[in-house]
Amino acid sequence: MRFMARFDPIFQTALDHMADTHTRRVLRPVRHVGAATVIRNGRELVNFSSNDYLGLSHHPALHARAAEWLRQDGTGSGASRLVTGTSPRHMQVEARLAAFKGCEAAVILASGWQANASVLAALLRLAAGQGVPPLVFTDRLNHASLHQGCMAAGVRQIRFRHNDLDHLDSLLERHAGDARAMRVIVTESVFSMDGDRTDIARLGALARRHGAFTYVDEAHATGVLGPHGRGLCAGHEIDLVMGTFSKALGGFGAYVAGSRALCDWLINACSGFVFTTAPPPAVLGAMDAALELVPTLDEARARLARNADHIRGVIHDCGLSSGPSTTQIIPIMIGEAAHALAFAARLEAHGILATAIRPPTVPPNGSRIRLALSAAHTDSMVDQLARAITLAAREHA
């Protein structure tokens, strides 16, 4: 319809500005031909940009259970969980998930973004309803979905310096005056752009001392870190743990885990649960198989950690920085967006898919190549990445 293009000049001006600042995104399709390789423009590339940290997206156990549950129960769930969308499969996966996380209960949601944006908003609205606005302390580099949850609740964030628990402690002390206000600490256990981790033991102790509720996003730790892949919060007193099935667990969806009362309340109060169609059978089957498989993959996790240490060493030997990374997420810090795009193009020329991450996803002049290693990467693939980084660094210099 012609009238729908009336406002295109506004959109085009914005797009042109993004192009001028090297921050415009375009969709570049790939065909996945395994857990670690893709085809783009007819050329095979080793994929170092996927969050499939254990390679489970192509594991036969996940495929088989997803297909079995689809064949038995159909392609869709048909309704939200509170209408007719809850099946015995949902209850089975949530029970398995709660046992895996060592919690009383768990709730499945559609995506990580939806979980953070709607669960956190519901929690903060409840806290505000106690008569005094909550005090919400957030890491400056929290994922955008966590910031969205705070904005949706209409609360002001008290931001502490990234991963600086001394600064958080001082802010909690500074705001200790009104004992009636609920204190909520919101952070991630592994940060998706820097690959560094929070000291969860200290965070929990600090929260208990200040009487604060802890909300920790474990999206990039679940399956990879902690005892048997249970995440960094395992064994620690954290009030609410959020995570995803779409990364190391190889499927799709998200979850929150905590006390029975918390989860029962979310079923009633979280808009992202109440008003969303339930996850379908095939998705649930992949979830169930992943939760069964992940505790058995200690050797894969150890190999992933060794490879990450090796690649950080390669980056440093090239005179580049991998930032504060200590996990399977490894940034190559570049700075300017145009330079990051050029570095990514050089890696692709050497057979490596490694995406350039630019503002606003990262701070200004914080553009980088974000490497995401997987247990599915063979030794030869890791060696190919090391050679590609070395060659691209020489060309970059």
Side-chain angles (χ1 to χ4, degrees):
M1 296 183 217
R2 186 173 298 174
F3 73 88
M4 294 182 68
R6 288 182 302 164
F7 297 97
D8 280 3
I10 297 174
F11 305 136
Q12 193 60 54
T13 298
L15 288 168
D16 291 343
H17 175 71
M18 292 175 188
D20 290 342
T21 57
H22 305 283
T23 57
R24 180 174 176 175
R25 276 78 164 168
V26 295
L27 298 176
R28 300 181 63 196
V30 300
R31 181 168 65 87
H32 293 265
V33 290
T37 54
V38 299
I39 302 293
R40 172 177 281 173
N41 298 327
R43 182 163 174 251
E44 184 170 291
L45 302 171
V46 183
N47 185 1
F48 282 96
S49 286
S50 171
N51 294 329
D52 186 12
Y53 302 129
L54 294 174
L56 295 188
S57 66
H58 283 71
H59 195 285
L62 274 69
H63 291 190
R65 197 161 303 171
E68 177 189 356
W69 288 18
L70 180 149
R71 186 169 55 252
Q72 293 177 355
D73 296 346
T75 58
S77 57
S80 66
R81 292 283 300 277
L82 290 174
V83 182
T84 60
T86 295
S87 72
R89 306 289 201 193
H90 291 90
M91 309 301 282
Q92 174 180 327
V93 173
E94 287 174 339
R96 190 189 288 274
L97 176 59
F100 174 69
K101 298 299 290 184
C103 297
E104 290 180 355
V107 177
I108 298 169
L109 293 105
S111 75
W113 172 276
Q114 182 198 58
N116 280 335
S118 60
V119 171
L120 187 55
L123 176 68
L124 297 179
R125 289 191 187 108
L126 177 67
Q130 307 304 306
V132 180
L135 298 172
V136 185
F137 302 85
T138 61
D139 190 292
R140 285 190 176 276
L141 295 188
N142 274 351
H143 192 268
S145 57
L146 293 169
H147 294 307
Q148 180 65 33
C150 293
M151 288 189 290
V155 300
R156 182 179 72 88
Q157 298 180 55
I158 304 169
R159 300 192 183 189
F160 57 93
R161 290 186 292 269
H162 174 54
N163 242 346
D164 188 340
L165 297 186
D166 289 333
H167 187 217
L168 172 60
D169 193 13
S170 69
L171 290 173
L172 286 161
E173 290 284 0
R174 185 185 308 169
H175 292 273
D178 193 342
R180 298 175 299 163
M182 182 177 178
R183 287 157 176 75
V184 180
I185 300 171
V186 182
T187 190
E188 302 177 48
S189 61
V190 172
F191 287 83
S192 61
M193 290 297 118
D194 291 277
D196 53 344
R197 61 185 88 189
T198 296
D199 183 343
I200 296 296
R202 188 179 172 210
L203 178 76
L206 188 156
R208 289 192 299 276
R209 182 156 53 84
H210 290 280
F213 182 99
T214 44
Y215 184 120
V216 178
D217 180 332
E218 287 252 79
H220 294 274
T222 300
V224 180
L225 299 171
H228 305 300
R230 290 170 53 208
L232 292 178
C233 292
H236 298 288
E237 294 183 28
I238 300 299
D239 298 291
L240 184 152
V241 174
M242 172 270 176
T244 62
F245 291 94
S246 55
K247 298 176 178 64
L249 273 62
F252 186 74
Y255 67 84
V256 292
S259 70
R260 170 56 64 186
L262 168 66
C263 291
D264 286 350
W265 173 77
L266 286 172
I267 288 170
N268 288 272
C270 174
S271 61
F273 179 90
V274 174
F275 300 110
T276 301
T277 300
V283 170
L284 293 172
M287 290 176 176
D288 193 64
L291 289 169
E292 184 176 312
L293 189 61
V294 161
T296 71
L297 300 178
D298 283 347
E299 175 50 38
R301 283 184 282 272
R303 185 172 69 255
L304 180 59
R306 288 194 300 269
N307 287 339
D309 285 340
H310 171 57
I311 292 300
R312 275 189 288 269
V314 170
I315 294 168
H316 297 161
D317 289 345
C318 292
L320 299 170
S321 170
S322 61
S325 168
T326 61
T327 67
Q328 75 282 357
I329 300 168
I330 309 172
I332 304 177
M333 308 303 293
I334 303 296
E336 294 183 17
H339 293 166
L341 287 169
F343 201 102
R346 294 186 190 103
L347 291 175
E348 186 166 336
H350 296 297
I352 300 296
L353 178 61
T355 303
I357 305 296
R358 296 158 286 156
T361 306
V362 292
N365 297 315
S367 294
R368 67 202 63 186
I369 304 299
R370 179 189 182 271
L371 299 174
L373 272 62
S374 170
H377 291 132
T378 64
D379 290 344
S380 63
M381 289 173 176
V382 174
D383 290 342
Q384 182 181 348
L385 173 63
R387 289 192 299 272
I389 292 171
T390 301
L391 292 170
R394 290 174 186 167
E395 296 161 6
H396 177 68

